[in-house]
Amino acid sequence: MSNQILIPKLAIVGVGLIGGSLALALKAAGVVGEVVGIGRGLANLEKALELGVVDRITQDPAEGVADADLVLLATPVLTLTEMASRVLPHMKPGAVLTDGGSVKGSVARAIEPLVPEGVHFVPGHPIAGTEKSGAEAAFATLYHRRRCILTPTAQTDPEALRLVRRVWETAGCEVVEMDVEKHDRILGAISHLPHMVAYSLVNAVSSYDRYEENILEYSAGGFRDFTRIASSDPTMWRDIALTNRDALLEMIERFELSLAELKEDIRGEKKDRLYDFFLRSKQSRDAIL
Amino acid sequence: MSNQILIPKLAIVGVGLIGGSLALALKAAGVVGEVVGIGRGLANLEKALELGVVDRITQDPAEGVADADLVLLATPVLTLTEMASRVLPHMKPGAVLTDGGSVKGSVARAIEPLVPEGVHFVPGHPIAGTEKSGAEAAFATLYHRRRCILTPTAQTDPEALRLVRRVWETAGCEVVEMDVEKHDRILGAISHLPHMVAYSLVNAVSSYDRYEENILEYSAGGFRDFTRIASSDPTMWRDIALTNRDALLEMIERFELSLAELKEDIRGEKKDRLYDFFLRSKQSRDAIL
Ligand SMILES: NC(=O)c1ccc[n+]([C@@H]2O[C@H](COP(=O)([O-])OP(=O)(O)OC[C@H]3O[C@@H](n4cnc5c(N)ncnc54)[C@H](OP(=O)(O)O)[C@@H]3O)[C@@H](O)[C@H]2O)c1
Ligand SMILES: NC(=O)c1ccc[n+]([C@@H]2O[C@H](COP(=O)([O-])OP(=O)(O)OC[C@H]3O[C@@H](n4cnc5c(N)ncnc54)[C@H](OP(=O)(O)O)[C@@H]3O)[C@@H](O)[C@H]2O)c1
């Protein structure tokens, strides 16, 4: 890994799992000068400082980004536009704004018109995460061997795109570029849909009240692993559900058809079709092991 | 752990994950004399012998159970009745038959009428497993700190029930007794439904063909972990889906309602309701961590 300074001054807006882990990864690689943590609550910022995730903290976005070379927005998706509007007017000429939001279409469309002359915006999304939140959840190796998707638009500056690519590569990612619409549909399928399914499953099972005891206590490893993602932050997922609405509704309907097919085969006791349904699924799943 | 012989001769019909792991656990505890492995295919039986899971193998159930004190049936659910009919007439007086099948109502109803005078049957189900199959998947600690549910009926001999309870406790389980109907509904909710959902999810996502590439390649840890249970054996799950049909259809319908509620809130952009849906789920899930 390089230890040449790539980013003399980095500002992270929202020092949680995503923002904090990027700060730690770049520090570990020795490619950043100072890291400024910008946040809403003081408690999380102080934790971030104490853990060495950032070098300096502030609750004033304007002051925090004033001489930053790169600013990463890593707050919940629905807050990204407002945070962008608060930092963009204070960024220095030549500085680059990027984000790690899980939805890209609505974010890019809302932020691009706000970008002043001389400042650049590169929308991005690292495909990595855990179900934990906050500065304490951050760790330097979160991005190792993960993909990061950058979604440049017609307005994206090629030089700024190259810088953001190098940053994520330095953090350990394989960087892929695609358009925002494709990003939102693919993530709707492989990430947003599974979360909706897991949340719905936990609610369906935990509200089952035929017996007095809590039946979740009988659940073995399978259920626990399967539903771990339903422990993720409700605000983050509310925002994703709202901002990737159309792709998500399309995928929920595909999933409903798949489950309805299975249900009809169970109802009709279709032995061979059931075997085939489970086998096809197992083969697809095993192919990504 | 005791090393007094509890079972001088144990016969395992179906030396896979469930049967093989019980054999290994009882051997490790020093409570069995000889373990006979009975199976269909020679390859798996030879593997079991080579790995020390069993001490002797045979493809002839009648011969294999002839002087066994305890016989465990651990083949797929739809084969349990036939296997029972093949071993019961050859079991010695006082011997006990038990099983590890994932569904209990249909199994108990079908096997009980076949049990000859002097031989006893105790239906059971260890709530433990992985997505792997066969003798190679077996390991001695599979049952450590897991629950095992025994579902005695009006016909169950109390002495035989006590023996089977001691066997599973020796393997590391906390043993719980409940009636067959309750077992099938609870397992339908916490195990069978999640498997149906995971299989349907993988099929829905892997058949998504809007883009040329295989979108599953973008899936991060979340999707992989979440869908691990969809790698389970298709025969096992076909049999469970068919034999626990009614409880499973009830649970699939509950789940469909839960997902439909979420879908309508996404469609209607109901911010507060979405937050509440995800929060409720997170709280239920976190309670079983
Ligand atoms: N977690 C994942 O798996 C994952 C993966 C890829 C991308 N993402 C995206 O990355 C972003 C951050 O997610 P995360 O997992 O890092 O979340 P996180 O750990 O909860 O961190 C979010 C940070 O944003 C701050 N914040 C929250 N609400 C805010 C508001 N209304 N205004 C200003 N700051 C606010 C929080 O600080 P306070 O404590 O002060 O509120 C916190 O430091 C989201 O856009 C998410 O979609 C997440
Ligand atoms: N896996 C779990 O998570 C889990 C948990 C609790 C209970 N169970 C129950 O335990 C039982 C066994 O499951 P498992 O996971 O141990 O499966 P497994 O690893 O595939 O073992 C099943 C064994 O049964 C034999 N077998 C398969 N089909 C047969 C047939 N038609 N006739 C005779 N023998 C046959 C196989 O031998 P060959 O190689 O010769 O075919 C194999 O040794 C099932 O009833 C299942 O519902 C499973």
Side-chain angles (χ1 to χ4, degrees):
Chain A
M1 264 182 223
S2 147
N3 53 5
Q4 216 190 319
I5 295 299
L6 186 63
I7 312 287
K9 192 166 156 194
L10 171 69
I12 303 282
V13 183
V15 194
L17 173 69
I18 294 301
S21 295
L22 184 65
L24 286 171
L26 298 180
K27 283 181 159 217
V31 300
V32 282
E34 189 190 42
V35 182
V36 184
I38 301 167
R40 177 179 61 165
L42 204 54
N44 184 63
L45 286 178
E46 282 172 348
K47 187 50 111 182
L49 192 62
E50 182 194 319
L51 294 171
V53 176
V54 296
D55 305 312
R56 185 164 80 75
I57 58 176
T58 175
Q59 286 173 286
D60 177 356
E63 187 256 314
V65 303
D67 37 48
D69 303 282
L70 179 70
V71 178
L72 172 76
L73 301 180
T75 56
V77 175
L78 275 183
T79 66
L80 292 173
T81 307
E82 197 212 317
M83 295 313 302
S85 74
R86 291 173 64 184
V87 301
L88 281 165
H90 308 282
M91 288 172 64
K92 69 180 183 190
V96 175
L97 177 70
T98 188
D99 79 302
S102 303
V103 179
K104 299 269 59 77
S106 54
V107 170
R109 273 191 302 278
I111 295 181
E112 285 192 329
L114 310 174
V115 182
E117 193 60 41
V119 171
H120 306 294
F121 174 55
V122 180
H125 176 208
I127 313 299
T130 71
E131 72 286 2
K132 307 270 172 56
S133 302
E136 270 181 293
F139 57 101
T141 56
L142 174 64
Y143 302 117
H144 277 198
R145 307 169 62 108
R146 298 303 187 165
R147 285 199 179 169
C148 177
I149 302 179
L150 300 181
T151 58
T153 70
Q155 273 182 246
T156 309
D157 177 70
E159 199 57 52
L161 178 61
R162 263 194 296 279
L163 178 74
V164 175
R165 172 184 272 276
R166 276 193 65 191
V167 162
W168 286 110
E169 284 172 352
T170 305
C173 288
E174 179 202 346
V175 175
V176 178
E177 289 174 29
M178 67 175 70
D179 69 63
V180 292
E181 144 102 356
K182 181 172 172 181
H183 168 277
D184 287 356
R185 294 214 178 259
I186 289 184
L187 271 288
I190 61 163
S191 169
H192 308 170
L193 172 66
H195 279 81
M196 299 303 119
V197 165
Y199 280 120
S200 300
L201 179 70
V202 172
N203 279 344
V205 173
S206 61
S207 66
Y208 186 63
D209 54 6
R210 186 185 281 261
Y211 303 105
E212 271 182 28
E213 67 227 285
N214 177 3
I215 65 168
L216 287 182
E217 279 170 19
Y218 288 96
S219 58
F223 187 82
R224 262 174 254 222
D225 294 347
F226 184 65
T227 59
R228 176 157 298 122
I229 59 176
S231 279
S232 303
D233 183 51
T235 302
M236 171 174 161
W237 285 97
R238 176 201 63 193
D239 286 11
I240 290 172
L242 291 168
T243 54
N244 202 22
R245 178 174 170 275
D246 297 346
L248 197 43
L249 289 173
E250 180 196 353
M251 283 311 303
I252 290 174
E253 274 157 22
R254 283 186 70 88
F255 169 76
E256 285 175 330
L257 289 176
S258 175
L259 182 63
E261 178 191 334
L262 175 59
K263 188 173 73 166
E264 285 320 302
D265 289 343
I266 293 173
R267 197 190 299 286
E269 302 180 62
K270 301 277 195 278
K271 221 174 143 168
D272 295 344
R273 286 178 55 89
L274 287 170
Y275 181 83
D276 178 64
F277 190 93
F278 299 140
L279 181 66
R280 259 191 291 138
S281 177
K282 177 176 168 58
Q283 286 168 341
S284 303
R285 173 58 186 66
D286 287 349
I288 58 161
L289 259 178
Chain B
M1 260 180 230
S2 147
N3 53 5
Q4 217 190 317
I5 295 300
L6 186 63
I7 313 286
K9 191 165 159 197
L10 172 69
I12 304 282
V13 184
V15 193
L17 173 68
I18 294 301
S21 295
L22 185 64
L24 287 172
L26 297 180
K27 283 181 161 221
V31 299
V32 283
E34 189 190 43
V35 182
V36 184
I38 302 167
R40 178 180 57 168
L42 205 53
N44 184 63
L45 286 177
E46 281 171 350
K47 188 47 108 182
L49 192 61
E50 182 192 319
L51 295 171
V53 176
V54 296
D55 305 313
R56 186 163 82 72
I57 57 176
T58 175
Q59 285 173 287
D60 178 356
E63 187 255 314
V65 303
D67 37 45
D69 303 283
L70 180 69
V71 177
L72 172 76
L73 301 180
T75 57
V77 175
L78 276 183
T79 66
L80 292 173
T81 307
E82 198 211 317
M83 294 314 302
S85 74
R86 290 174 64 185
V87 301
L88 281 166
H90 307 283
M91 286 172 65
K92 68 180 183 190
V96 176
L97 177 71
T98 189
D99 78 302
S102 303
V103 178
K104 299 267 61 78
S106 54
V107 170
R109 273 191 303 277
I111 294 181
E112 285 192 330
L114 309 175
V115 181
E117 193 60 41
V119 171
H120 306 293
F121 175 56
V122 180
H125 177 206
I127 313 299
T130 71
E131 72 287 3
K132 309 270 172 55
S133 303
E136 270 181 294
F139 56 102
T141 57
L142 175 63
Y143 302 116
H144 277 197
R145 306 169 62 106
R146 298 301 188 164
R147 285 198 179 169
C148 177
I149 301 179
L150 299 181
T151 57
T153 70
Q155 272 182 248
T156 309
D157 177 71
E159 199 57 52
L161 178 61
R162 264 194 296 278
L163 178 74
V164 175
R165 172 185 273 275
R166 276 194 66 191
V167 162
W168 286 110
E169 284 172 351
T170 305
C173 287
E174 178 202 346
V175 175
V176 178
E177 289 174 29
M178 67 174 70
D179 70 63
V180 292
E181 145 100 355
K182 181 172 172 182
H183 168 278
D184 287 357
R185 295 216 179 258
I186 290 184
L187 271 289
I190 61 161
S191 169
H192 309 171
L193 173 66
H195 278 82
M196 298 304 119
V197 165
Y199 280 120
S200 300
L201 179 69
V202 172
N203 278 345
V205 173
S206 61
S207 67
Y208 186 62
D209 55 4
R210 186 185 281 261
Y211 302 105
E212 272 183 27
E213 67 226 284
N214 177 2
I215 66 167
L216 288 182
E217 278 170 20
Y218 288 96
S219 58
F223 190 83
R224 260 175 258 216
D225 295 345
F226 181 69
T227 58
R228 176 157 298 120
I229 60 175
S231 278
S232 304
D233 183 51
T235 301
M236 170 174 162
W237 285 97
R238 176 201 63 193
D239 287 10
I240 291 172
L242 291 169
T243 53
N244 201 21
R245 178 174 170 273
D246 297 345
L248 197 42
L249 289 173
E250 181 197 352
M251 284 311 303
I252 290 175
E253 274 156 23
R254 283 186 70 88
F255 169 76
E256 285 176 329
L257 289 176
S258 175
L259 182 64
E261 177 190 335
L262 175 59
K263 187 173 74 167
E264 284 322 301
D265 289 343
I266 294 173
R267 198 190 300 286
E269 302 179 64
K270 300 279 195 280
K271 222 173 142 168
D272 295 344
R273 285 178 55 88
L274 287 170
Y275 181 83
D276 178 64
F277 189 94
F278 299 140
L279 181 65
R280 258 190 292 139
S281 177
K282 176 175 170 57
Q283 285 169 341
S284 303
R285 174 60 186 69
D286 286 350
I288 58 159
L289 260 176

